[in-house]
Amino acid sequence: MKNEIPVLLKRYCVALESLDPQKVKEIYPDANLDLYRRAFVSYKSLRCTMEAPKFLQLDGTKGTAQVEVGVKQTWEYRRGGTPEVQDFITTMTLSRPEARTTWRIAKLVSVVKPKP
């Protein structure tokens, strides 16, 4: 179970990199598709990497988890210019409706990582 969550995080990055809001919605059902569409339309590409998650809460019986993970995103814009790089600290609340189903993102909150 604990090994399945990093797989979900990787799938989320892959969905972001696809620039397809529907793929994000598959992993994060409550995602605001309009927000993702508006962002993705201006991107030529998006690169996403995540650090290993820090488990804040994990309850396999209830099918809930909360993780904190460092996320680095690099956007290359269609209009050109220097790619933008941003580091975030992202807290995700995860759930799965039944024991043998896949984890999904129930809630996601990202804040810009403070500069050292």
Side-chain angles (χ1 to χ4, degrees):
M1 169 181 33
K2 200 170 184 178
N3 297 333
E4 297 169 22
I5 291 174
V7 173
L8 170 70
L9 301 179
K10 176 67 176 160
R11 288 180 55 221
Y12 179 66
C13 267
V14 168
L16 290 176
E17 290 174 345
S18 76
L19 301 178
D20 182 347
Q22 282 305 125
K23 289 190 179 180
V24 174
K25 186 101 173 148
E26 291 171 13
I27 298 161
Y28 181 16
D30 292 336
N32 181 336
L33 289 183
D34 289 336
L35 180 70
Y36 283 94
R37 278 189 195 103
R38 284 193 305 270
F40 290 168
V41 74
S42 63
Y43 299 160
K44 180 178 177 183
S45 68
L46 186 153
R47 175 87 175 114
C48 171
T49 56
M50 290 193 184
E51 298 171 356
K54 174 182 171 187
F55 285 84
L56 305 176
Q57 180 269 328
L58 179 62
D59 187 334
T61 307
K62 292 181 182 176
T64 61
Q66 187 173 41
V67 297
E68 184 177 271
V69 62
V71 180
K72 181 177 186 172
Q73 293 183 6
T74 305
W75 302 280
E76 187 176 351
Y77 291 98
R78 292 185 185 277
R79 69 181 190 283
T82 304
E84 184 178 336
V85 178
Q86 191 69 64
D87 289 308
F88 298 98
I89 297 172
T90 300
T91 304
M92 295 181 185
T93 302
L94 311 174
S95 67
R96 62 179 181 181
E98 297 174 20
R100 293 198 180 354
T101 58
T102 58
W103 287 94
R104 302 208 182 257
I105 299 169
K107 183 179 176 186
L108 182 148
V109 177
S110 293
V111 295
V112 175
K113 188 183 263 186
K115 302 280 185 205

